[in-house]
């Protein structure tokens, strides 16, 4: 009987699988058929819909309007999309919410390069009014579509209210924030735009190109005095620096042009990884070390997470945590904290004696520099032969195999003091994410750049990579600015991620000495 049931279940699974696959095939064929007949029957929308619905697939009378508009907008066939939208609005049938959202999205996309008609503008305003009258509270998807459409007609006040509604249930998208901020600059509402930028950053929504573009347009439109222009352009670069942001190649080019209009020299350049020297102006970028106050803030945050047993320690027993804290209080400070398992596996899935050998090489390297070392590993490593040869030359602590070791060595280093370094190839992105405040994230990132050593074994001889001598964020000096940007040609395919930002794509902005 059980065998029969198994066979029946298997048959059912196979049937469902084939059914779902066939539905997908039918849907794709339905979409392709739709595209074909739209080309051939450009104006008879009723017949086009009827013909498409005669084909088997997922489209039906409830969703076909929204899907057709989405297909037309995606293919940038705006004339046809506008014609179809006009047909839907003139129909006596009540439009679905999906169709309404699709029309709002059409107007948003179309308005990027074209002016909307009075009728289209009025539709957006009427839709805003009717949706809130009907639903009172809108879902986040509808809010986003409505916000984009309202900004397209410069209704920024209504846009801000819609953004507030999104915040009730969700975090607004990058596009929602950026398009609203850009609209504020477009309408010369600088104070409101700067406040919205702060909210965007706090919600982890970095600015998109459209914001930087409208910000620069506002400055160049608003001010004529070169000193005032420069002051406000520097404000953009300072925002990039304060938030450790990396702008796109498009924004970098726009910044270059804006500064050059003030008789500055702008060049795309590279920064030498070992020294931090700009290959264009030969100046060396600064190492923006954490001040005592900044490190104290970071250390306090780690301590508070420990005290409340927060998410920094997701898989740790209270007893082990207490044992670890007692150990650190008793044996710190250290000069260097080694992530033992991470270093050991830098040789790949090699034999244990090779893992011991690489650990020994790293320990010898720092002992020769007369550094006090904490070796932090997992308990199963105590079974490795000759591990005692390493622990006899260091302070050592081994955590349970089920615990997370990353938080331990981060915590040991930060509690040890501002001078303590770490050795690990782990980029620690997860732990940076756990720090909810953006200020803490940036402080942690700067601390990491200044204190993290890495070990690589590209051949038979290991490479011990020291921390950066400079801070790879936008920074200024008396001569001007250096800003990192995302090159359109940059690629990390097949490359080892060393944790160091791309040094090949920087913008050098210098005052003309003449």
């Amino acid at each position: 009987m059980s065998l029969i049931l198994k066979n029946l279940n298997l048959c059912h699974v196979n049937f469902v699988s084939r059914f779902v696959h066939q539905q997908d095939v039918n849907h794709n064929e339905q979409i392709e058929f739709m595209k074909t007949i739209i080309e051939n029957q450009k104006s008879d929308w009723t017949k086009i819909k009827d013909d498409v619905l005669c084909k088997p697939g997922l489209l039906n009378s409830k969703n076909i309007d929204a899907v057709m508009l989405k297909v037309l907008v995606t293919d940038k066939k705006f004339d046809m999309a506008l014609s179809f939208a006009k047909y839907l609005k003139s129909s006596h049938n009540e439009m679905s919410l999906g169709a309404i959202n699709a029309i709002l999205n059409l107007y948003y996309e179309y308005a990027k390069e074209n002016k909307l008609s009075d009728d289209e503008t009025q539709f957006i305003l009427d839709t805003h009014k009717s949706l809130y009258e009907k639903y009172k509270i809108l879902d986040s998807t509808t809010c986003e579509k409505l916000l984009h459409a309202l900004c397209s007609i410069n209704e920024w006040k209504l846009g801000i209210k819609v953004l507030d509604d999104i915040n009730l249930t969700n975090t607004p998208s990058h596009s929602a924030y950026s398009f609203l901020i850009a609209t504020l600059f477009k309408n010369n509402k600088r104070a409101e735009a700067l406040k919205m930028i702060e909210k965007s950053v706090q919600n982890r929504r970095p600015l998109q190109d459209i914001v930087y573009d409208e910000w620069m347009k506002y400055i160049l439109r608003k001010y004529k005095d070169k000193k005032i222009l420069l002051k406000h352009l520097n404000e953009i670069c300072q925002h990039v620096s304060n938030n450790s942001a990396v702008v796109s190649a498009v924004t970098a080019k726009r910044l270059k042009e804006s500064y050059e209009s003030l008789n500055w020299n702008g060049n795309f350049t590279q920064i030498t990884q070992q020294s931090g020297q700009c290959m264009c102006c030969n100046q060396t970028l600064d190492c923006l070390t954490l001040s005592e106050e900044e490190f104290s803030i970071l250390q306090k945050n780690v301590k508070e997470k420990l005290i409340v047993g927060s998410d920094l320690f997701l898989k740790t027993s209270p007893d082990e945590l207490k044992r670890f804290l007692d150990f650190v209080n008793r044996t710190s400070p250290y000069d260097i904290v080694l992530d033992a398992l991470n270093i050991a596996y830098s040789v790949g899935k090699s034999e244990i004696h090779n893992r011991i050998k690489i650990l020994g090489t790293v320990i010898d390297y720092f002992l020769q520099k007369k550094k006090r070392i904490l070796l932090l590993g997992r308990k199963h490593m105590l079974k490795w032969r000759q591990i005692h040869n390493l622990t006899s030359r260091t302070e050592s602590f081994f955590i349970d195999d089920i615990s997370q070791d990353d938080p331990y060595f981060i915590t040991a280093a930060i509690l040890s003091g501002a001078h303590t370094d770490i050795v690990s190839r782990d980029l620690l992105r997860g732990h940076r994410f756990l720090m909810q405040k953006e200020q803490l994230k940036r402080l942690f990132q700067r601390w990491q750049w200044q204190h993290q050593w890495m070990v690589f074994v590209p051949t038979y001889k290991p490479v011990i990579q020291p921390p950066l001598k400079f801070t790879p964020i936008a920074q200024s000096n008396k001569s001007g600015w250096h800003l990192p940007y995302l090159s359109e040609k940059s690629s990390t395919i097949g490359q080892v991620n060393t944790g160091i930002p791309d040094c090949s794509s920087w913008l050098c902005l210098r005052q003309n000495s003449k």
Side-chain angles (χ1 to χ4, degrees):
M1 178 63 75
S2 60
L3 183 60
I4 293 173
L5 287 174
K6 283 183 180 179
N7 288 335
L8 284 173
N9 286 334
L10 184 59
C11 289
H12 175 71
V13 168
N14 289 335
F15 171 77
V16 170
S17 178
R18 287 196 301 271
F19 177 76
V20 170
H21 173 71
Q22 188 59 47
Q23 285 287 87
D24 289 340
V25 170
N26 289 341
H27 180 63
N28 292 333
E29 290 178 352
Q30 210 175 18
I31 295 293
E32 291 305 314
F33 177 70
M34 176 199 297
K35 291 180 179 180
T36 302
I37 63 171
I38 285 175
E39 290 288 343
N40 298 329
Q41 305 173 32
K42 295 182 179 179
S43 58
D44 193 347
W45 294 111
T46 301
K47 188 173 188 312
I48 290 172
K49 286 174 60 175
D50 290 341
D51 289 347
V52 172
L53 291 175
C54 285
K55 286 278 185 180
L58 298 177
L59 295 184
N60 55 51
S61 58
K62 293 181 179 179
N63 63 21
I64 188 171
D65 296 337
V67 174
M68 282 180 67
L69 276 169
K70 183 177 180 180
V71 168
L72 290 168
V73 171
T74 301
D75 292 346
K76 296 192 179 301
K77 295 181 177 178
F78 290 117
D79 288 343
M80 292 184 186
L82 291 170
S83 171
F84 185 52
K86 188 175 181 180
Y87 159 81
L88 291 178
K89 289 188 291 182
S90 64
S91 172
H92 296 296
N93 297 326
E94 184 179 354
M95 277 191 284
S96 68
L97 187 57
I100 292 171
N101 284 343
I103 293 177
L104 292 173
N105 183 61
L106 161 64
Y107 291 161
Y108 158 66
E109 293 291 346
Y110 181 73
K112 287 180 180 179
E113 296 182 7
N114 304 275
K115 181 175 173 55
L116 294 177
S117 68
D118 291 343
D119 179 65
E120 290 157 353
T121 299
Q122 192 60 49
F123 175 82
I124 295 171
L125 293 171
D126 290 344
T127 298
H128 171 268
K129 183 180 178 181
S130 62
L131 284 175
Y132 275 102
E133 285 177 351
K134 183 175 182 179
Y135 296 106
K136 308 304 178 188
I137 298 175
L138 304 180
D139 64 277
S140 59
T141 299
T142 301
C143 280
E144 294 252 354
K145 301 294 185 189
L146 187 57
L147 170 62
H148 282 93
L150 287 167
C151 288
S152 297
I153 57 173
N154 294 313
E155 288 287 344
W156 56 270
K157 288 183 180 178
L158 294 177
I160 289 175
K161 291 180 180 178
V162 174
L163 187 81
D164 290 339
D165 286 349
I166 299 174
N167 271 306
L168 294 174
T169 57
N170 211 337
T171 301
S173 67
H174 295 74
S175 177
Y177 269 117
S178 284
F179 203 61
L180 178 55
I181 295 166
T183 303
L184 289 167
F185 277 123
K186 194 174 180 180
N187 287 273
N188 300 321
K189 300 298 177 181
R190 175 181 174 273
E192 291 86 346
L194 294 180
K195 287 180 182 177
M196 196 61 67
I197 285 173
E198 286 301 310
K199 291 181 180 179
S200 183
V201 170
Q202 288 169 8
N203 280 319
R204 304 190 191 96
R205 296 293 186 256
L207 304 184
Q208 296 179 330
D209 288 336
I210 189 173
V211 175
Y212 292 112
D213 187 51
E214 289 296 342
W215 197 347
M216 282 180 262
K217 283 180 181 177
Y218 164 78
I219 291 168
L220 297 172
R221 180 174 69 245
K222 180 80 173 174
Y223 306 105
K224 301 304 175 186
D225 183 87
K226 284 191 173 182
K227 287 185 178 179
I228 297 176
L229 277 167
L230 182 60
K231 172 190 170 185
H232 286 281
L233 285 176
N234 285 342
E235 188 178 51
I236 296 177
C237 293
Q238 194 62 56
H239 165 83
V240 175
S241 176
N242 290 344
N243 294 284
S244 303
V246 180
V247 298
S248 72
V250 171
T251 292
K253 183 174 182 292
R254 187 81 175 87
L255 277 168
K256 178 176 178 289
E257 292 168 350
S258 297
Y259 275 87
E260 286 174 339
S261 71
L262 302 180
N263 200 31
W264 276 47
N265 293 318
N267 294 96
F268 295 117
T269 184
Q270 297 182 22
I271 304 297
T272 305
Q273 180 176 314
Q274 290 76 18
S275 64
Q277 187 179 50
C278 172
M279 295 179 68
C280 176
C281 67
N282 295 322
Q283 292 190 352
T284 300
L285 271 65
D286 292 329
C287 183
L288 307 175
T289 56
L290 268 62
S291 65
E292 287 186 16
E293 181 183 359
E294 288 174 328
F295 182 77
S296 178
I297 291 171
L298 190 62
Q299 196 176 54
K300 180 184 177 185
N301 180 68
V302 170
K303 286 178 178 177
E304 285 177 351
K305 283 181 177 289
L306 284 171
I307 291 169
V308 299
S310 185
D311 46 13
L312 194 61
F313 284 85
L314 293 174
K315 298 176 182 176
T316 298
S317 69
D319 289 343
E320 183 176 61
L321 177 56
K322 183 179 183 306
R323 185 168 62 90
F324 171 71
L325 291 175
D326 290 344
F327 171 84
V328 171
N329 288 333
R330 188 175 70 253
T331 60
S332 64
Y334 323 105
D335 296 308
I336 197 93
V337 178
L338 307 184
D339 182 0
L341 198 62
N342 183 279
I343 297 168
Y345 276 96
S346 61
V347 294
K349 294 181 180 180
S350 184
E351 296 182 4
I352 288 176
H353 76 270
N354 289 328
R355 299 177 202 165
I356 290 287
K357 185 177 179 181
I358 190 67
L359 272 172
T361 300
V362 174
I363 288 171
D364 289 339
Y365 177 86
F366 288 106
L367 286 177
Q368 287 170 10
K369 294 177 176 289
K370 301 189 183 303
K371 301 295 184 183
R372 191 159 184 270
I373 302 169
L374 168 61
L375 180 72
L376 207 151
R378 291 178 182 259
K379 284 185 176 178
H380 76 266
M381 296 174 68
L382 292 170
K383 298 177 183 178
W384 294 1
R385 286 189 295 176
Q386 298 183 325
I387 191 74
H388 66 277
N389 290 338
L390 307 180
T391 58
S392 63
R393 294 183 287 155
T394 65
E395 295 291 344
S396 60
F397 188 91
F398 293 86
I399 63 173
D400 292 336
D401 292 331
I402 62 168
S403 299
Q404 291 180 308
D405 50 2
D406 297 347
Y408 278 92
F409 79 84
I410 294 169
T411 301
I414 291 177
L415 292 184
S416 176
H419 75 289
T420 306
D421 289 347
I422 58 174
V423 183
S424 176
R425 289 201 304 175
D426 194 313
L427 300 181
L428 311 178
R429 291 194 183 102
H431 304 292
R432 193 157 63 245
F433 177 77
L434 289 175
M435 296 183 174
Q436 298 299 318
K437 294 182 180 178
E438 288 301 307
Q439 180 200 21
L440 285 169
K441 280 187 178 183
R442 292 193 288 272
L443 291 180
F444 183 81
Q445 176 70 89
R446 280 171 53 197
W447 174 84
Q448 185 182 352
W449 279 327
Q450 294 159 21
H451 291 276
Q452 185 169 4
W453 297 68
M454 292 190 174
V455 179
F456 301 97
V457 190
T459 57
Y460 66 93
K461 186 178 180 181
V463 174
I464 301 175
Q465 175 184 285
L468 286 176
K469 293 181 179 179
F470 67 100
T471 305
I473 63 173
Q475 51 180 271
S476 63
N477 55 28
K478 292 181 180 179
S479 300
W481 283 93
H482 289 92
L483 301 97
Y485 70 93
L486 287 171
S487 171
E488 295 168 341
K489 299 178 181 178
S490 65
S491 173
T492 57
I493 297 173
Q495 299 177 11
V496 175
N497 192 340
T498 63
I500 296 176
D502 186 3
C503 293
S504 66
S505 305
W506 282 71
L507 174 60
C508 173
L509 299 169
R510 290 172 294 142
Q511 288 179 305
N512 199 321
S513 56
K514 293 181 181 181

